[in-house]
Amino acid sequence: MSDLIDMIEHGSLRGSLDHCVKCTICETACPVSNATPLFPGPKYAGPQSERYRVAGEPSVDASVDYCSGCGICSQVCPQGVKIAEINARARDALKREHGVPLRDRIITRPTWLGRIGTPVAPIANLALNLRPARILAEKALGVHRDAPAPRFAGRRFSTWARARGRERRADRATAPGAGPPDHRGLPRRVVYFHGCGTEFYEPWEGEKVVEVLEHNGFQVTVPRQGCCGLPLQSSGLFDDARRTVLRLARSLSAPLRDDADAIIVGNATSCTLMLKREGREILGLEDDPDLRLVSRRTYDICELLLALHDRGELRTDFRPIREIVAYHAPCQQQGHGIGKPALDLLALIPGLEVREMNARCCGIAGTYGLKAEKHGISMAVGRDLFDQVLASGAPTVACDSETCRWQIAHGTGRRSVHPIDFLHRAYGLDDAGA
Amino acid sequence: MSTLSTDVLVIGGGATGVGVAWDAALRGLDVVLVDRHDLAQGTSGRFHGLLHSGGRYAVKDPQAARECVAENRILRRVAADCIEDTGGLFVTTPWDDPGYADRFAAGCAETGVRCEEVQPSQALRGEPRLNPRISRAFRVPDASIDVWKTVWAMSHGAQQRGARILPYHEVVTIDRSGDVVGGAVARDARSGDELRIEARVTVNATGAWAGRVAQMAGIEGVRVLPGRGIMIAMNHRLVNTVVNRCQMPTDGDIIVPIRTVSVIGTTDQHTDDPDDHTVPQEEVDRMLDEGERLVPGFRRARALRVWTGVRPLFEDAKADSTATRDVTRAHALLDHEQRDGVRGLLTITGGKLTTYRLMAQETVDAVCRQLGESRPCRTETEPLPGSESGEHYRLGERLARKEAELRGEQLICECELVPRSKLERAIAQTGSTDLDDIRRQLRLGMGPCQGGFCTYRATGILHERDGLRALEADASLLAFLQERWKGVWPVLYGDQLRQARLDEWIFQGVLGVERLPTAPETAGAGGASGAGGASGAGGASGLAPREAP
């Protein structure tokens, strides 16, 4: 049976090329092909070239590796061609054949990197900011010397979450049922998927997510979890990506099975997209029951909060924030097909002036902009966004994806945070914690 | 009237005729070849592209199977670059007589068709879109062959050896004095000039039209029954192996992956007119239904276009009727000296693409006999120009070539990856302003958009390069659109309908082609309407959806 499903799904992904009417809308929208001639464009590399690819025959178009995998092409296609997904498959075939550079094996494993870097954070961070070390890394590995490198936080989100969990359990024993209950009169339960960025680099973002959720009456559980496999997938390491996402699906699905009403929520928008759709579609894992369950019940944090607001259940005890904030919706966030819920949420905060940036992509595309040969392209892609941010006069940029935040900070020198930061502040939760 | 003098005049520029020219040129004979249209525009250019392993004839026609086995081996060697080594499968679906498989295996063993039974699961691993309910599967050395590439290669090879290849020269009279045919007069379709070709031997290689040409020489009873069949090209490779139903050959039982498409074929309807290119909707539906049995989801996949071809089924009125029934699918070489007492004329007809070389060999052997000369055939070992390396064509070739110069030139036809320089070269080489001629050289306009985006680009280049007058350029554009449109309308559903709408918006909405001024005297010059000559070569009729029934 699994073979059959695999066959149908593989067929439909490739088969979607049949919908292409050559209208070129994807090529107009592609941030990469508009910034570099090295990538021939999504229509060319996707539905057009796919007609020339025969399973088992050598890959002849290495240029498909210059696709950043941002997925804008698939979003803008009016005919439903799964362009980015076709490209991702072609990249996988290419990598299988020509091998994967050591660099790609390293930078696509944030969990390893985090585990190694966290205990020695001061030294690791120093090294990441030391020019000679970066030049060495570029020469030895091909990680661009100027690429935005996140700083290790030196602590892990999960450590905080475990302590918090113990605290809450104790609280509940004394004062059960804080916050509005769900339709059955039970506390709402969410499983928090924090992702590697939160775990190792920005644990405070996760802390804020948990506090905002708890402020709205959610009981948050944080199961042990690893990487979603997206960095591996986007670098064309499909087998490793499959193993990784399935391992994660295993750990996230267990609490869902215990509670039919529980949902997963995440603030790493690319990683939640991986769970929602890309793992199934691109990696061809439609028939994995754990991933299917996880996929159906995963929500982006802003998506969840806005849905709550639509039902009149989001707390709106916001204090005014008199600031200008620039907002950039990352490509992967757009891939969710949920609009831009962060914009609506930020609009609820009195005094906050939100300026939506009208640019396609920041250029980083996960690990794409880290690679020496692609960093220049990634900066060229992001130029438009950087200019708009600088022109907006906003001191802070809100953006749902961590790698995009790092790139924006790198390209503009402005602070960049998850939209949840503003909600957290408006709720006055940072004061409470302080 | 100017006059040419030659050893051999070949009438008909299909695979057989050009094969005869190539064979004769290799033997050192002087050759002139004429065709009323372009090369390989008739039956040869209108088949599904199968290079037979012999499997399809293993039970029904062992003699044909043996011929295919031998020719398949030879062509893989001498026409390597024209052949993609797809391999073939014969599969028993739930709709096929389960008893046939054993007869098939026995037939293959008997006729020498290399055939290996494999587990259905193994066949499905290689061809995941195949119907998972197949119960038996056999691998055979079927392949796909690009007939245009083959014909151009032979034509160029023959020309290098002095042959004169004259497309768009229609024979108007056969010169017969007494019992000797001494050549023919042909009219240049473009200039209208007539040309006398004096030949020691004339070869009638006009396939389904052979009876008419024989009649021009006053020879009666050469009856060729045209068998019309439709084929549908699907937008991409649904399979990468030739897939046959394991049953007695019938309608819609084969899918051939050729170049970027997969072609399902075919039907078989007797018709009186070899220029009949009717596409009955019922046949289209039948093809799609049969496709669905081999590849579930076939009906939801995108069909690009439909075309028809006519098989020449030879029936010699002079032989006794019981004998002819057996040889209808085989080829027939008629030496009119022996048959009718007329010297200097041979007719070669019937047969199939896979055996074109053998047909040419037998024909030129007969030519040499008439000339009283001994010249051994060399086509069995001499590779066609371009096939010297012995390496087979691979689908990825054009993509690889484009990849090597990604930042180089503009693609004119994006679907079939035709760059500007290739188009300009083809225009210069053919001297043709007919985009349909260029299409057969380059596959221009043969992809998903069916000329939607390349037609206006190519017309602009024609106009610029050839100094073509605007009115002539208009006519080229309209003729090509009309030609593309003819194949598209019978499959206007789903994705291809969406494409047709977009194409229509481009050509009618943006460019207003229906109101283009055209010069009537040049419109469609050179038979732009294709072998069918059916309709709408140029003229203001344009691509008009309302013409569709």
Side-chain angles (χ1 to χ4, degrees):
Chain A
M1 198 58 195
S2 91
D3 274 1
L4 178 59
I5 291 169
D6 196 44
M7 179 272 286
I8 292 167
E9 293 308 321
H10 275 257
S12 80
L13 198 71
R14 178 181 160 89
S16 78
L17 78 88
D18 274 357
H19 308 321
C20 179
V21 294
K22 321 294 285 188
C23 68
T24 312
I25 288 173
C26 59
E27 307 242 306
T28 317
C30 174
V32 180
S33 62
N34 282 295
T36 175
L38 293 171
F39 180 55
K43 176 176 77 170
Y44 178 91
Q48 208 159 283
S49 294
E50 185 63 19
R51 294 176 73 238
Y52 293 84
R53 297 189 185 116
V54 177
E57 286 209 357
S59 293
V60 296
D61 54 332
S63 58
V64 74
D65 192 38
Y66 277 94
C67 162
S68 77
C70 71
I72 288 177
C73 45
S74 298
Q75 291 164 34
V76 299
C77 176
Q79 306 294 343
V81 183
K82 297 192 180 292
I83 310 168
E85 293 80 355
I86 290 173
N87 286 348
R89 289 264 175 93
R91 208 155 46 237
D92 170 49
L94 184 76
K95 293 292 164 76
R96 268 171 206 282
E97 202 178 309
H98 296 290
V100 178
L102 175 64
R103 174 203 57 202
D104 292 8
R105 294 193 184 280
I106 295 172
I107 63 174
T108 54
R109 287 181 167 80
T111 320
W112 290 4
L113 290 173
R115 284 193 189 132
I116 296 165
T118 300
V120 293
I123 302 164
N125 288 335
L126 187 69
L128 286 171
N129 284 309
L130 217 59
R131 197 70 183 162
R134 290 296 300 266
I135 293 173
L136 191 70
E138 179 179 304
K139 296 224 185 297
L141 285 176
V143 175
H144 197 277
R145 62 185 73 173
D146 296 325
R151 296 172 61 85
F152 293 104
R155 60 188 165 97
R156 291 171 66 162
F157 168 75
S158 53
T159 313
W160 178 89
R162 271 197 299 278
R164 177 83 164 193
R166 280 193 296 272
E167 215 175 283
R168 284 286 169 272
R169 273 193 296 279
D171 287 356
R172 272 199 299 280
T174 51
D182 70 3
H183 66 278
R184 295 166 308 170
L186 295 171
R188 301 161 197 269
R189 206 174 138 193
V190 294
V191 176
Y192 177 39
F193 164 52
H194 50 71
C196 307
T198 301
E199 173 73 353
F200 298 110
Y201 303 107
E202 298 180 334
W204 54 87
E205 297 286 7
E207 292 158 19
K208 288 172 184 175
V209 167
V210 171
E211 285 171 2
V212 167
L213 285 168
E214 286 183 347
H215 185 68
N216 280 286
F218 287 97
Q219 214 179 80
V220 183
T221 49
V222 185
R224 285 181 71 87
Q225 52 190 276
C227 179
C228 67
L230 175 61
L232 292 162
Q233 185 245 93
S234 67
S235 285
L237 289 124
F238 274 27
D239 287 339
D240 292 345
R242 284 189 187 104
R243 273 194 294 277
T244 309
V245 72
L246 289 179
R247 198 160 46 229
L248 176 63
R250 213 75 72 229
S251 36
L252 292 180
S253 60
L256 299 185
R257 291 194 204 282
D258 297 343
D259 179 350
D261 278 358
I263 56 164
I264 298 169
V265 64
N267 60 316
T269 196
S270 326
C271 310
T272 46
L273 184 63
M274 183 73 177
L275 291 181
K276 276 185 177 180
R277 180 163 65 79
E278 292 196 341
R280 285 184 294 113
E281 278 189 357
I282 298 182
L283 298 177
L285 295 171
E286 290 287 354
D287 54 342
D288 183 80
D290 291 338
L291 186 57
R292 282 223 303 251
L293 178 64
V294 166
S295 176
R296 269 201 306 275
R297 283 159 71 179
T298 295
Y299 293 84
D300 173 75
I301 178 70
C302 293
E303 178 186 20
L304 172 71
L305 295 179
L306 186 62
L308 211 60
H309 179 63
D310 288 346
R311 286 161 45 169
E313 294 171 11
L314 182 78
R315 286 180 64 170
T316 52
D317 50 339
F318 296 118
R319 301 177 186 175
I321 298 178
R322 307 212 180 277
E323 251 184 66
I324 302 172
V325 59
Y327 174 72
H328 169 65
C331 313
Q332 294 279 318
Q333 190 278 333
Q334 288 295 282
H336 284 254
I338 54 173
K340 295 172 182 172
L343 273 179
D344 296 310
L345 290 173
L346 292 175
L348 297 175
I349 300 172
L352 187 65
E353 193 182 317
V354 187
R355 303 242 167 106
E356 187 190 354
M357 299 295 98
N358 180 28
R360 284 272 179 216
C361 178
C362 72
I364 190 75
T367 57
Y368 184 85
L370 304 182
K371 300 170 182 172
E373 73 280 12
K374 289 160 183 150
H375 179 258
I377 299 171
S378 108
M379 293 304 282
V381 167
R383 191 77 269 153
D384 189 22
L385 175 63
F386 306 153
D387 290 347
Q388 288 188 33
V389 167
L390 293 173
S392 74
T396 311
V397 186
C399 176
D400 311 67
S401 155
E402 59 271 29
T403 54
C404 305
R405 288 198 289 276
W406 303 335
Q407 168 88 340
I408 293 167
H410 170 63
T412 62
R414 298 283 186 270
R415 208 166 74 90
S416 187
V417 299
H418 192 281
I420 209 75
D421 269 48
F422 281 89
L423 294 176
H424 188 261
R425 260 170 79 192
Y427 279 134
L429 291 170
D430 46 353
D431 297 349
Chain B
M1 194 189 312
S2 41
T3 304
L4 292 178
S5 213
T6 186
D7 294 326
V8 187
L9 167 64
V10 183
I11 305 171
T16 310
V18 179
V20 168
W22 164 241
D23 186 314
L26 274 180
R27 299 194 207 198
L29 291 165
D30 188 59
V31 184
V32 172
L33 178 143
V34 293
D35 191 284
R36 62 174 183 157
H37 295 142
D38 197 12
L39 302 185
Q41 196 176 334
T43 302
S44 298
R46 295 171 169 274
F47 89 130
H48 41 41
L50 171 67
L51 181 71
H52 281 276
S53 61
R56 286 180 73 79
Y57 300 109
V59 174
K60 193 181 173 188
D61 188 344
Q63 173 57 27
R66 283 192 189 92
E67 281 175 10
C68 288
V69 169
E71 288 304 306
N72 182 301
R73 279 195 195 124
I74 295 168
L75 291 183
R76 277 168 183 267
R77 207 166 53 231
V78 299
D81 184 45
C82 311
I83 290 167
E84 183 181 346
D85 188 12
T86 60
L89 279 172
F90 279 77
V91 294
T92 307
T93 73
W95 298 273
D96 302 326
D97 166 18
Y100 184 83
D102 288 332
R103 287 162 63 204
F104 171 78
C108 286
E110 181 132 333
T111 54
V113 176
R114 209 149 42 77
C115 167
E116 178 205 353
E117 176 152 19
V118 294
Q119 288 298 318
S121 59
Q122 200 184 336
L124 284 161
R125 261 197 301 283
E127 287 301 343
R129 293 208 58 174
L130 208 55
N131 192 329
R133 291 161 67 201
I134 56 171
S135 53
R136 312 222 13 207
F138 300 88
R139 274 193 201 292
V140 295
D142 281 342
S144 62
I145 179 164
D146 183 328
V147 68
W148 290 310
K149 221 171 168 185
T150 312
V151 165
W152 305 133
M154 291 192 295
S155 165
H156 294 150
Q159 281 173 302
Q160 280 160 16
R161 285 163 178 79
R164 283 158 289 183
I165 308 287
L166 306 173
Y168 295 113
H169 278 70
E170 181 166 10
V171 168
V172 287
T173 33
I174 304 263
D175 283 339
R176 175 176 170 181
S177 56
D179 288 338
V180 179
V181 168
V185 174
R187 185 188 296 124
D188 183 334
R190 287 160 170 156
S191 66
D193 295 344
E194 292 197 343
L195 173 69
R196 161 152 289 125
I197 303 143
E198 296 170 351
R200 295 163 72 197
V201 180
T202 299
V203 175
N204 170 18
T206 53
W209 294 263
R212 294 185 187 178
V213 172
Q215 226 164 16
M216 290 168 79
I219 288 165
E220 297 299 325
V222 177
R223 292 237 311 264
V224 185
L225 304 175
R228 183 178 50 72
I230 74 161
M231 278 139 282
I232 303 176
M234 308 301 287
N235 182 40
H236 69 277
R237 295 286 199 94
L238 298 172
V239 290
N240 287 309
T241 310
V242 175
V243 179
N244 303 266
R245 294 264 288 275
C246 196
Q247 59 176 2
M248 284 302 258
T250 179
D251 289 357
D253 65 347
I254 181 167
I255 303 176
V256 182
I258 172 134
R259 305 293 292 235
T260 46
V261 298
S262 18
V263 177
I264 185 160
T266 174
T267 50
D268 190 2
Q269 290 294 320
H270 287 285
T271 171
D272 293 330
D273 178 7
D275 290 320
D276 172 13
H277 289 284
T278 327
V279 177
Q281 197 58 47
E282 179 274 322
E283 289 185 29
V284 172
D285 283 334
R286 189 145 32 103
M287 286 299 100
L288 296 174
D289 286 342
E290 294 302 330
E292 189 71 36
R293 290 175 165 179
L294 272 172
V295 172
F298 195 87
R299 263 189 173 277
R300 273 175 292 130
R302 177 172 176 176
L304 283 189
R305 65 185 285 116
V306 182
W307 68 92
T308 61
V310 284
R311 302 174 188 81
L313 302 178
F314 176 69
E315 184 181 79
D316 195 340
K318 287 205 171 175
D320 68 290
S321 62
T322 48
T324 55
R325 193 145 295 151
D326 294 334
V327 299
T328 49
R329 287 294 172 104
H331 58 268
L333 172 67
L334 310 179
D335 183 331
H336 295 291
E337 187 176 22
Q338 290 162 13
R339 182 179 179 273
D340 309 285
V342 179
R343 248 188 91 75
L345 182 67
L346 300 163
T347 291
I348 176 78
T349 185
K352 50 199 149 291
L353 193 279
T354 302
T355 57
Y356 87 82
R357 194 210 59 86
L358 179 65
M359 292 162 71
Q361 176 177 354
E362 289 176 7
T363 307
V364 182
D365 284 348
V367 168
C368 292
R369 275 198 301 278
Q370 287 222 354
L371 296 175
E373 295 172 11
S374 163
R375 296 171 183 262
C377 176
R378 289 171 51 198
T379 54
E380 205 171 313
T381 51
E382 184 76 23
L384 305 188
S387 288
E388 295 85 354
S389 74
E391 281 196 32
H392 287 308
Y393 162 82
R394 280 172 189 273
L395 179 58
E397 275 179 19
R398 282 193 176 185
L399 192 60
R401 217 174 296 137
K402 180 64 191 155
E403 181 75 13
E405 46 173 57
L406 213 48
R407 273 166 288 181
E409 44 178 342
Q410 180 196 9
L411 280 179
I412 302 303
C413 171
E414 296 173 37
C415 306
E416 293 295 323
L417 302 179
V418 180
R420 187 181 175 113
S421 64
K422 254 186 129 178
L423 176 66
E424 289 177 342
R425 225 170 17 246
I427 292 170
Q429 273 169 9
T430 57
S432 177
T433 58
D434 182 344
L435 289 175
D436 206 47
D437 290 352
I438 311 253
R439 168 183 74 86
R440 281 186 296 276
Q441 300 257 355
L442 302 180
R443 298 183 63 80
L444 181 85
M446 291 182 70
C449 78
Q450 288 289 303
F453 289 79
C454 64
T455 306
Y456 58 83
R457 292 176 190 154
T459 307
I461 291 168
L462 264 184
H463 182 44
E464 172 190 293
R465 294 265 316 176
D466 263 24
L468 209 61
R469 286 186 303 129
L471 292 183
E472 294 166 330
D474 290 353
S476 290
L477 179 134
L478 286 170
F480 192 61
L481 287 180
Q482 186 62 44
E483 181 56 33
R484 293 287 85 196
W485 175 245
K486 265 168 40 188
V488 171
W489 71 257
V491 284
L492 274 186
Y493 61 87
D495 291 318
Q496 200 58 6
L497 179 57
R498 277 192 204 97
Q499 182 73 61
R501 285 298 283 168
L502 179 61
D503 292 357
E504 197 204 359
W505 290 331
I506 293 173
F507 286 102
Q508 309 256 53
V510 179
L511 301 175
V513 292
E514 276 214 307
R515 284 182 291 278
L516 276 183
T518 53
E521 73 273 14
T522 56
S529 64
S535 69
S541 61
L543 80 166
R546 62 174 173 273
E547 282 187 357

